[in-house]
Amino acid sequence: MMGPRQEAQPALFYEFSLEDHVPQDHFLRSIDRFVDLSGIRAYLADFYSHTGRPSVDPELLIRMLLVGYCFGIRSERRLCEEVHLNLAYRWFCRLDLSDRVPDHSTFSKNRHGRFRDSELLRHLFETTVARCIEEGLVSGQRMAIDASLIEADANKQNSTPKEEWDARQIDPADAPRAVREYLDTLDEAAFGAASEVQPKFTSHSDPASQWTAARKGPAFFAYSDNYLIDTDHGVIVDVEATRSIRQAEVGATRTMLDRVRNKFHLHPERLIADTAYGTGPMLGWLVDREIAPHIPVFDKSGRSDGTWTRADFEWDAGNDQYICPEGHELKQFRRNYSDPKRGPTSTGRAKYRALKLTCRACPSKAKCCPNADARSITREENENARQVARVIAKTKQYEISMKLRKKVEMLFAHLKRILGLGRLRLRGPCGANDEFLLAATAQNLRKLAKIFPAPQKPRTA
């Protein structure tokens, strides 16, 4: 028999509990166990006025942002709608059915104001990292570094070639927020001071973003999201936003390693990275700090004509010379100079040469220097550190490290495909930094929730 038509019947009173309607195995229950915002009000106390109308609870705003980044809700306007409709989101944000969801404009006002002034999002991220350390997910012995391109909220149609941009007169008082942030970061190594080379195009809306074609396809404006992770469980221990150039990404590595050492007392025994980080100065910096560089050496000394390369020559450190395969010496100096200016070059490179008479009579001249009178070899200032990396590259541990490096790439794939952060919504260096910090916080919280899920309560009959 067909049942009666279902019609909504108004009632005067309801008995409704969000706690009873959110499933015990819901992912937000596991995440909620690791979100501790009890100290956020004290942290922001100095950034609020003691008079005036009460503001929106900052804990509510942070919880809503975490929901958005954990579940890939990129639009704050849509986030407000989802929190209004979804019972689990309301439960996580500590909102009852009758509580009003804040307007989307509230996020912008707080982000551009007290959140950035207090570095709240950095504090939130570091609190999550500290929880991961407390739960035993971070040992600090092996770390990996990498960067990924994230498209900026800018396009070529609203850009200017570099020669025209230099001639433009910019008044910081009338410039948009992203342009003012760009002017403020010109002296920072992560942005304007990273390289003297000017990009081909500069965006009007977000001039700090980098015009790049690193993906071997159509060029676009982008920022680099730099991750420093602990390879035990793939926990992100630090994150930094930079321009999408190698010098800025390598410089961010030093910043992040120093920061985790000062903040969490983490000093890795090895650092894993790809060839972009295998430059002489970077390897020397790591070796000086007793960090084993499990990094391929960035080396252009190889030859394509089949002649002997620098690797075929033996380095004699005791006598400061190279020995060629035929047993001849290549020296930097063959007599003592009283003038210090005649010593090593100021560029940090030293040149070692063989005698012309020796090379002319050598039976292997065709394999060594067929187009020169004598063979010469250039040795960089950090060649000792480069040799340390070459020796490590022949070990079994290095092979394991190259497999562990994929964990960083997996995090970037998760960031773009699952969390939806393939293109930024916010502009400027501060906007990129805010988004990267929130995304890394969400990834660490999801990691904690998957490894330590919420205990299930037995169902009552």
Side-chain angles (χ1 to χ4, degrees):
M1 180 178 71
M2 184 179 295
R5 184 185 298 273
Q6 183 68 33
E7 295 181 359
Q9 298 292 333
L12 295 177
F13 303 99
Y14 286 97
E15 282 192 20
F16 189 90
S17 173
L18 282 176
E19 182 68 29
D20 297 336
H21 284 76
V22 178
Q24 293 296 321
D25 59 350
H26 197 284
F27 197 48
L28 276 178
R29 284 192 179 273
S30 298
I31 292 178
D32 185 65
R33 298 169 60 238
F34 302 102
V35 177
D36 183 12
L37 302 178
S38 57
I40 193 174
R41 298 182 67 87
Y43 184 83
L44 292 173
D46 296 337
F47 297 88
Y48 281 87
S49 174
H50 298 288
T51 60
R53 187 176 62 180
S55 65
V56 178
D57 186 2
E59 180 177 347
L60 170 59
L61 298 178
I62 293 299
R63 285 185 173 272
M64 289 182 64
L65 287 173
L66 289 178
V67 168
Y69 278 84
C70 283
F71 293 93
I73 304 174
R74 304 286 297 120
S75 168
E76 290 169 356
R77 188 186 298 268
R78 179 169 166 252
L79 174 62
C80 293
E81 296 174 354
E82 293 290 336
V83 172
H84 176 72
L85 296 173
N86 193 299
L87 296 181
Y89 295 171
R90 278 185 171 271
W91 173 86
F92 181 80
C93 296
R94 308 296 191 261
L95 291 173
D96 202 354
L97 286 179
S98 58
D99 292 333
R100 183 180 177 183
V101 177
D103 188 75
H104 64 89
S105 61
T106 308
F107 292 98
S108 299
K109 294 178 181 178
N110 283 274
R111 181 192 306 111
H112 297 312
R114 55 181 66 94
F115 282 8
R116 286 183 182 171
D117 295 339
S118 64
E119 295 187 350
L120 175 64
L121 300 183
R122 168 67 64 178
H123 172 73
L124 176 65
F125 169 74
E126 291 178 346
T127 302
T128 307
V129 175
R131 185 59 184 271
C132 292
I133 297 174
E134 180 183 346
E135 296 294 337
L137 301 184
V138 177
S139 67
Q141 296 181 354
R142 297 177 299 189
M143 292 187 183
I145 182 74
D146 204 356
S148 182
L149 296 179
I150 306 296
E151 188 174 355
D153 185 22
N155 55 64
K156 184 180 178 181
Q157 284 70 28
N158 189 23
S159 64
T160 300
K162 60 179 180 181
E163 57 271 8
E164 298 181 18
W165 173 267
D166 294 338
R168 293 181 54 166
Q169 300 297 325
I170 303 175
D171 184 4
D174 298 332
R177 180 182 292 106
V179 177
R180 295 198 302 270
E181 292 177 5
Y182 165 71
L183 297 175
D184 293 339
T185 57
L186 282 176
D187 295 330
E188 295 184 11
F191 292 96
S195 173
E196 297 179 357
V197 179
Q198 296 296 322
K200 186 176 181 180
F201 293 98
T202 301
S203 171
H204 297 169
S205 58
D206 193 356
S209 60
Q210 179 74 26
W211 178 256
T212 177
R215 291 179 180 172
K216 307 301 180 183
F220 58 96
F221 290 104
Y223 284 93
S224 283
D225 188 5
N226 299 268
Y227 274 2
L228 178 66
I229 74 164
D230 185 273
T231 59
D232 288 356
H233 292 87
V235 173
I236 306 168
V237 294
D238 206 352
V239 58
E240 184 80 5
T242 64
R243 299 190 79 172
S244 300
I245 53 177
R246 182 174 57 85
Q247 296 89 334
E249 295 170 358
V250 173
T253 305
R254 305 179 184 182
T255 301
M256 291 189 287
L257 285 172
D258 287 338
R259 191 156 50 202
V260 298
R261 184 173 186 175
N262 296 331
K263 183 68 179 180
F264 304 111
H265 306 290
L266 297 177
H267 185 69
E269 65 177 22
R270 73 179 67 170
L271 181 69
I272 307 169
D274 57 22
T275 313
Y277 299 85
T279 59
M282 185 66 208
L283 295 175
W285 187 87
L286 292 173
V287 171
D288 290 343
R289 284 156 180 77
E290 299 181 351
I291 302 176
H294 286 235
I295 305 172
V297 178
F298 188 81
D299 193 356
K300 294 185 177 181
S301 63
R303 295 188 170 189
S304 58
D305 57 0
T307 57
W308 288 337
T309 65
R310 184 169 55 188
D312 297 318
F313 290 74
E314 181 183 354
W315 169 244
D316 183 4
N319 297 313
D320 188 26
Q321 64 183 10
Y322 277 98
I323 305 297
C324 77
E326 292 289 344
H328 303 302
E329 299 174 350
L330 283 77
K331 291 181 174 292
Q332 184 180 6
F333 307 109
R334 297 190 179 274
R335 64 183 178 88
N336 296 326
Y337 291 100
S338 58
D339 186 1
K341 295 182 180 181
R342 300 290 298 275
T345 59
S346 59
T347 58
R349 295 182 177 182
K351 203 163 190 177
Y352 294 79
R353 301 176 179 86
L355 293 174
K356 292 184 180 181
L357 294 177
T358 303
C359 287
R360 288 174 182 174
C362 181
S364 301
K365 187 177 187 303
K367 296 181 180 179
C368 183
C369 52
N371 301 321
D373 293 334
R375 179 61 185 262
S376 63
I377 293 179
T378 301
R379 183 176 178 84
E380 294 188 4
E381 181 181 5
N382 297 287
E383 190 63 28
N384 291 334
R386 290 157 63 92
Q387 186 60 29
V388 170
R390 292 190 186 100
V391 173
I392 292 176
K394 300 176 181 179
T395 62
K396 185 67 176 178
Q397 290 79 6
Y398 179 83
E399 297 179 9
I400 298 174
S401 297
M402 291 301 101
K403 295 178 181 179
L404 293 175
R405 190 176 65 83
K406 296 180 181 179
K407 290 189 176 184
V408 194
E409 299 172 357
M410 292 170 61
L411 283 170
F412 286 133
H414 178 270
L415 175 72
K416 297 177 181 180
R417 299 188 62 182
I418 306 301
L419 302 188
L421 191 62
R423 179 185 173 95
L424 295 173
R425 290 184 56 254
L426 307 180
R427 293 174 177 172
C430 293
N433 192 57
D434 289 351
E435 292 217 56
F436 294 161
L437 283 170
L438 280 169
T441 303
Q443 287 183 293
N444 282 344
L445 287 173
R446 289 174 64 102
K447 180 79 66 177
L448 284 165
K450 288 184 177 181
I451 297 177
F452 305 107
Q456 302 299 308
K457 296 180 180 179
R459 294 184 178 180
T460 58

